Amino acid sequence: TPHWAYAAGARRLSCLCCIFSSEQDIRAAVSASDKGKAYARRIIEIEDRNNHTILPLRTVGGRKVQRYIKDVVGDLLDAA
């Protein structure tokens, strides 16, 4: 049987909120795991306190965009 992360829609295994993960993989980890939700909440606290994100810049429409974990999974945490 496949690992739960693949069943949740992740394309690769990594840490639950890995800086090298795609946003899709981070969403899969948080949506399918209580541990992922707890970890994301902790990262959000740290990012808010330091006004800095763990995520690298993303290119969207030719522009570099700063994304925070809250931007990626906040809707999943609000629903929990």
Side-chain angles (χ1 to χ4, degrees):
T1 62
H3 189 275
W4 67 264
Y6 293 121
R11 294 179 295 166
R12 62 183 278 280
L13 288 176
S14 64
C15 300
L16 290 170
C17 292
C18 178
I19 63 171
F20 300 112
S21 290
S22 69
E23 292 181 8
Q24 173 187 335
D25 291 348
I26 293 171
R27 287 184 63 80
V30 171
S31 67
S33 165
D34 289 337
K35 191 177 193 177
K37 285 178 182 64
Y39 192 46
R41 284 186 180 101
R42 181 70 178 120
I43 292 171
I44 289 168
E45 290 174 10
I46 293 167
E47 287 182 339
D48 286 348
R49 185 176 62 238
N50 294 296
N51 194 30
H52 186 77
T53 181
I54 67 165
L55 298 175
L57 291 171
R58 301 277 189 220
T59 302
V60 177
R63 288 184 27 229
K64 295 286 187 180
V65 177
Q66 190 75 48
R67 300 277 291 173
Y68 288 76
I69 291 290
K70 186 185 325 185
D71 299 327
V72 176
V73 299
D75 62 315
L76 299 174
L77 299 174
D78 293 341

